[in-house]
């Protein structure tokens, strides 16, 4: 995989606009003093194993002793897939793990089983926490804050945390799951937000190992009557990028090629 490198990236800082979303050019001669974070969003479905490999390559580059100056962020969707955390139990699967209804992968991230699929936006930040705060609890809460702000800004929804549980909830149902890993304080894995996701596959698991609580999506919450799935996904792509840049105080720089 080619590195996410500055020559392949636009010099434009990300800036939101309410009508037609574009990348705005900064004024000539002005440079941001914020830490740079190069990013790419994908409109096609990216197989889980491919995105997993990209993340590990990006982490390895930043742990090699020749660390790129920038953080990185991938924003994408997966085909249907179940993933288990490093210490997950299979007790939360409602199917035979030898014959899953969708591919099943055990990963290095924290947390229990979850589902990824079309209509769910996944953010994979590759961040050097030495340049932010060397505290994984702070990082987890910051990822939750990204989702909470996006829900408020795009939909007027009040996302909440539940004590003792990781993720974001609306009306006591989970709308975003968080699971991360760090190597030498460089993060990977991330946060998944149900925007227009088909929720049926969640019935095959105990999501995140938490029984007695439901899973929801922005679409199911019916706050955007008349909006197409495509429009809703588009708004949340930008809403999440806006919130990410704000919460982590970074300058997002669009990258064309990986």
């Amino acid at each position: 995989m080619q590195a996410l490198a500055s020559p392949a990236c636009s010099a434009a800082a990300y800036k939101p606009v309410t009508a037609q979303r574009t990348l705005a050019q900064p004024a000539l001669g002005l440079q941001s003093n914020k830490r740079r974070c190069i990013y790419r969003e994908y409109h096609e479905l990216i197989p889980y194993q491919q995105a997993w490999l990209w993340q590990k390559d990006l982490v390895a580059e930043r742990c090699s002793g020749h660390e790129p100056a920038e953080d990185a962020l991938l924003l994408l969707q997966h085909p249907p897939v179940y993933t288990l955390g490093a210490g997950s139990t299979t007790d939360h699967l409602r199917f035979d793990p030898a014959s899953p209804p969708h591919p099943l992968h055990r990963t290095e991230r924290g947390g229990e089983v979850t589902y990824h699929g079309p209509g769910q936006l996944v953010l994979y930040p590759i961040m050097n926490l030495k340049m932010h705060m060397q505290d994984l609890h702070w990082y987890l809460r910051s990822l939750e804050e990204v989702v909470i702000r996006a829900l408020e800004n795009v939909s007027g929804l009040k996302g909440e945390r539940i004590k003792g549980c990781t993720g974001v909830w609306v009306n006591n149902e989970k709308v975003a799951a968080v699971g991360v890993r760090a190597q030498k304080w460089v993060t990977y894995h991330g946060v998944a937000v149900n925007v227009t996701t088909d929720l049926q596959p969640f019935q095959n698991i105990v999501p995140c190992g938490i029984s007695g609580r439901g899973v929801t999506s922005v679409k199911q919450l019916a706050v955007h009557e008349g909006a197409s799935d495509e429009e809703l996904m588009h708004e949340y792509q930008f809403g999440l990028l806006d919130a990410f840049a704000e919460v982590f105080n970074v300058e997002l720089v669009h990258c064309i090629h990986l």
Side-chain angles (χ1 to χ4, degrees):
M1 183 191 77
Q2 289 183 307
L4 282 167
S6 298
C9 300
S10 166
Y14 175 79
K15 183 179 179 181
V17 242
T18 52
Q20 182 63 37
R21 305 284 196 167
T22 61
L23 291 176
Q25 295 286 343
L28 289 175
L30 295 180
Q31 291 188 353
S32 171
N33 59 1
K34 296 180 179 179
R35 181 168 173 79
R36 282 163 54 98
C37 179
I38 54 179
Y39 79 96
R40 180 168 180 189
E41 77 276 31
Y42 295 83
H43 301 289
E44 69 274 25
L45 299 179
I46 303 298
Y48 186 84
Q49 288 179 297
Q50 179 65 75
W52 194 6
L53 177 62
W54 288 342
Q55 292 174 75
K56 289 191 280 191
D57 284 351
L58 290 165
V59 170
E61 289 167 2
R62 286 154 175 76
C63 293
S64 66
H66 303 284
E67 297 179 0
E70 305 99 341
D71 293 325
L73 175 67
L74 305 177
L75 175 59
L76 49 81
Q77 301 173 65
H78 293 301
V81 62
Y82 294 106
T83 67
L84 296 162
S88 294
T89 173
T90 55
D91 293 346
H92 298 308
L93 304 180
R94 293 173 174 152
F95 55 80
D96 181 352
S99 182
H102 299 297
L104 175 67
H105 300 289
R106 184 173 291 277
T107 74
E108 315 91 340
R109 66 165 174 79
E112 290 288 339
V113 63
T114 196
Y115 165 77
H116 299 299
Q120 181 191 76
L121 288 173
V122 187
L123 291 90
Y124 290 127
I126 313 299
M127 305 189 76
N128 186 345
L129 294 186
K130 293 177 185 176
M131 306 302 295
H132 296 274
M133 185 177 292
Q134 289 178 248
D135 184 334
L136 284 177
H137 292 288
W138 168 85
Y139 180 61
L140 289 169
R141 302 294 82 79
S142 296
L143 290 177
E144 292 168 347
E145 184 65 22
V146 169
V147 178
I148 289 170
R149 294 191 189 190
L151 289 169
E152 170 64 29
N153 293 338
V154 178
S155 302
L157 289 169
K158 182 174 175 54
E160 298 178 318
R161 299 178 178 91
I162 291 180
K163 187 175 181 179
C165 299
T166 299
V168 178
W169 312 72
V170 176
N171 299 333
N172 211 35
E173 293 186 309
K174 196 166 194 175
V175 72
V178 181
V180 304
R181 176 84 174 186
Q183 182 178 339
K184 296 183 179 179
W185 292 106
V186 178
T187 68
Y188 59 123
H189 297 286
V191 56
V193 185
N194 297 327
V195 182
T196 63
T197 324
D198 175 9
L199 301 177
Q200 190 281 328
F202 284 101
Q203 296 179 15
N204 296 323
I205 59 175
V206 180
C208 304
I210 303 171
S211 58
R213 295 187 186 272
V215 175
T216 192
S217 68
V218 173
K219 181 179 180 179
Q220 181 168 283
L221 291 164
V223 291
H224 291 272
E225 292 184 15
S228 68
D229 286 5
E230 183 179 3
E231 289 170 334
L232 201 50
M233 291 294 287
H234 181 75
E235 286 302 307
Y236 267 88
Q237 285 171 340
F238 282 93
L240 288 165
L241 289 171
D242 281 346
F244 185 89
E246 185 178 64
V247 169
F248 288 102
N249 193 33
V250 293
E251 176 191 7
L252 287 178
V253 180
H254 189 251
C255 186
I256 301 171
H257 300 295
L258 283 176

